[in-house]
Amino acid sequence: MRSLAGEAGWAGRDVLDVGCGTGFHLPRFASEAATVTGVDPHPDLVALARRRTRALPNVTVHHGTAQDLPLPDASVDVVHARWAYFFGPGCEPGLAELDRVVRRGGVALVVDNDPTRSTFGGWFRRGYPDVPDADTVERFWSTHGWTRTPVDMGWRFSSRADLESVVRIEFDGATAEAILAEHEGLEVDYAVNLWSREF
Ligand SMILES: C[S@@+](CC[C@H](N)C(=O)[O-])C[C@H]1O[C@@H](n2cnc3c(N)ncnc32)[C@H](O)[C@@H]1O
């Protein structure tokens, strides 16, 4: 996968992961960043992220939301949000918060699905028909000054059971069973969009 570090070097900088979930990405940022802050509204996930990073002195995890970030003005250099809150139309309150917390010269990176390409993209269109169409989403981001970088990635599982479990997490029962009946093997090609903006 194209590297995030190539898009926004975070060495020695203050990083914010919005919607950090269980904190999976925090240690990677922490290995080079000056400080790393994770924010998530779900208390159980905050607890897991804190547990994951308890030995990392430069990581803090806060309970909070993208729309009301528990951070001071101009306190962040690099924002990362992966499959969290920033899905296009409707995320304007979170974008206003990024304007407030990101320092001049900072960068924000949002990773989301690209429903126009790839096997997973087709599954996504089928499972989430109410998501705004790709043109609407693209127009939203470009109107707000963001740039799209298409990225090709993929899932590779070591067992069919693992693939099936993940598909059943991602989609409702009927959609998941239909997908699994059609799709063979242990791999799924998956296109995403990396949306970025400099401040
Ligand atoms: C699909 S998970 C992704 C977690 C993580 N970013 C990752 O890539 O592993 C979506 C996350 O967004 C969080 N979330 C939901 N609403 C949010 C909001 N308003 N502001 C910030 N995060 C939110 C959820 O609690 C969840 O942790």
Side-chain angles (χ1 to χ4, degrees):
M1 180 174 171
R2 185 166 179 166
S3 92
L4 273 184
E7 300 292 330
W10 54 80
R13 303 177 88 192
D14 296 316
V15 175
L16 166 65
D17 190 6
V18 184
C20 67
T22 65
F24 179 83
H25 303 287
L26 302 180
R28 170 125 189 261
F29 291 128
S31 65
E32 290 180 60
T35 69
V36 179
T37 304
V39 171
D40 202 279
H42 200 297
D44 293 348
L45 298 180
V46 169
L48 288 169
R50 284 182 178 150
R51 189 189 311 165
R52 187 195 293 275
T53 56
R54 67 188 155 199
L56 302 175
N58 58 342
V59 178
T60 309
V61 183
H62 292 298
H63 181 250
T65 65
Q67 311 89 292
D68 188 14
L69 289 169
L71 291 170
D73 297 355
S75 57
V76 171
D77 301 302
V78 179
V79 178
H80 169 257
R82 192 179 296 229
W83 293 300
Y85 176 80
F86 292 99
F87 300 123
C91 75
E92 294 87 345
L95 295 183
E97 277 293 79
L98 298 190
D99 282 336
R100 182 181 68 77
V101 303
V102 180
R103 294 185 183 113
R104 185 180 290 273
V107 64
L109 304 165
V110 165
V111 179
D112 194 14
N113 299 322
D114 180 350
T116 67
R117 305 185 300 119
S118 79
T119 298
F120 187 90
W123 295 355
F124 185 72
R125 279 199 308 279
R126 187 159 152 191
Y128 298 93
D130 296 334
V131 168
D133 66 85
D135 287 345
T136 302
V137 173
E138 171 121 38
R139 218 169 19 252
F140 173 87
W141 286 112
S142 57
T143 300
H144 287 83
W146 293 65
T147 302
R148 182 174 81 96
T149 303
V151 177
D152 294 309
M153 57 157 220
W155 284 344
R156 188 176 306 125
F157 296 92
S158 50
S159 75
R160 181 75 189 175
D162 285 351
L163 181 148
E164 292 180 1
S165 301
V166 171
V167 168
R168 290 186 179 117
I169 290 169
E170 294 282 337
F171 299 98
D172 68 59
T175 308
E177 296 320 308
I179 286 170
L180 292 172
E182 286 166 16
H183 189 80
E184 294 179 353
L186 301 178
E187 297 188 13
V188 182
D189 60 291
Y190 191 147
V192 298
N193 285 321
L194 172 64
W195 301 99
S196 58
R197 192 192 149 198
E198 290 174 12
F199 288 75

